[in-house]
Amino acid sequence: MDRFTAVERALRRAAPHALLEAVQRALATAYAAESVDLLMADYAMTILQPVSALPYTAEPIPIHTSAPGRAFGAQEPYVETDKRTNTVLAHLPISVRGDRIGILSVRLPEEAYDSDVARELADVAEVLGYGIVVAERDTDLYLQARRADRLTLAAEMQWQLLPGRSCSRPEYELGAQLEPAYAIYGDNFDWSTSAHHLTLTVTNGMGEGIEAALLTNLAINALRNARRAGLSLSDQVCLADQAVYGHYRGGVHLSVLHLCFDLATGETEIIDAGSPKMWRLRQGKAEPITLDAQLPLGMFEDTMYTAQRFHVEPGDRLLFVSDGVYNVASPAGERYSERALVRAMANTRLLPPSQVPRAVLQELSGHRGSIDADDDAMVVCLDWHGRP
């Protein structure tokens, strides 16, 4: 058995809460590793938190000013060399199909580190990522490590509803973020992919706190139920509308932008049922996409929805924002204007989609100043590559 296979087998056999201990023992035996640390990205994507036994006592590591953060941001291994001890410290990104999870940091003797070891350790980090995703069904350890602060109950419900924060396939790359990360309530995004299609949903729920989270949970699960039943895009939205109206009898509503992309052609069906807005960056030019506005979900009984056609081309970047972005006011009362959003899209054009939402929301925070946000904000970024 080769050494990588031995490490992979040790991870598969480890208890859900013991993945770190298993990889530490396996890397020490197979690669002469002197230390192994697992760092998890927090919900706000600003720090990396070391995983250890509860309660957590290790100091968090900032993403933007640290060596592990450099590996996390670039999604490429980053190696530090210590000539005093003749060791190297390799920081390896952990991600699952483009969803960035954290960093595996491995210290080992300099003479034991070469290109083959570097490649194998990167593969170990990938296997560990899949192990963490599966283990989270049975343990809270890794979810707790992602928390720099206590989540509100509404935020707990929303984060558990999300598919991830980024995703990639040859045809597209997706990135998304919600703020305030530890106190969100109504905004949400969802996606699902198949061999031929990508379905993307961006929602903005009415209300605050638990009530907003419950409304969004009802709508998202109704949309998923209809999608998994094989219904058309229009019927998916109709079913979700009936579910929301049937429960609330028109007392509340929910705004939805619901899209289905054909992965082979870029042909897209869209239903615009509310306030989330879509922007396109094509060949350096940013512009809002005007869609046929239809009623938000849950306002009236038996509302009918009609999908309209749209086409994305290779190289297009789509940005989806909630009203918590474009309605934000500065301390002087100035709204975060379309001009500011165009500037933000231009400033982030070279970043990968996984980093764009965080960067846009950071600029939004600067516009808002010291004023506390009175609404949650959501940014979703989609880069379309198309199918060769």
Side-chain angles (χ1 to χ4, degrees), residues 133-215:
V133 170
V134 174
E136 285 180 345
R137 299 182 306 181
D138 302 308
T139 179
D140 289 333
L141 181 68
Y142 310 104
L143 291 173
Q144 287 171 304
R146 298 185 185 197
R147 301 173 186 217
D149 202 352
R150 186 178 183 275
L151 264 68
T152 64
L153 180 54
E156 184 83 53
M157 295 167 64
Q158 290 291 66
W159 281 110
Q160 290 300 305
L161 191 64
L162 296 173
R165 284 176 291 188
S166 50
C167 176
S168 64
R169 273 185 57 167
E171 297 90 349
Y172 64 83
E173 292 179 75
L174 266 169
Q177 181 66 18
L178 297 168
E179 288 291 348
Y182 292 86
I184 55 172
Y185 35 86
D187 287 359
N188 189 273
F189 53 85
D190 191 33
W191 57 67
S192 177
T193 187
S194 67
H196 305 293
H197 296 94
L198 165 68
T199 302
L200 174 64
T201 308
V202 183
T203 61
N204 183 7
M206 176 181 175
E208 298 181 359
I210 295 294
E211 292 304 320
L214 288 170
L215 170 62

Side-chain angles (χ1 to χ4, degrees), residues 76-125:
E76 294 286 345
Y78 181 74
V79 179
E80 298 178 279
T81 302
D82 188 338
K83 292 300 183 181
R84 289 186 305 104
T85 59
N86 293 320
T87 61
V88 297
L89 181 58
H91 304 290
L92 309 153
I94 301 172
S95 64
V96 176
R97 294 193 175 93
D99 191 14
R100 300 181 299 165
I101 295 176
I103 291 291
L104 179 67
S105 295
V106 182
R107 184 182 297 278
L108 64 168
E110 190 173 4
E111 65 271 13
Y113 186 79
D114 56 27
S115 58
D116 289 337
V117 171
R119 185 178 62 255
E120 290 173 16
L121 290 179
D123 290 340
V124 168

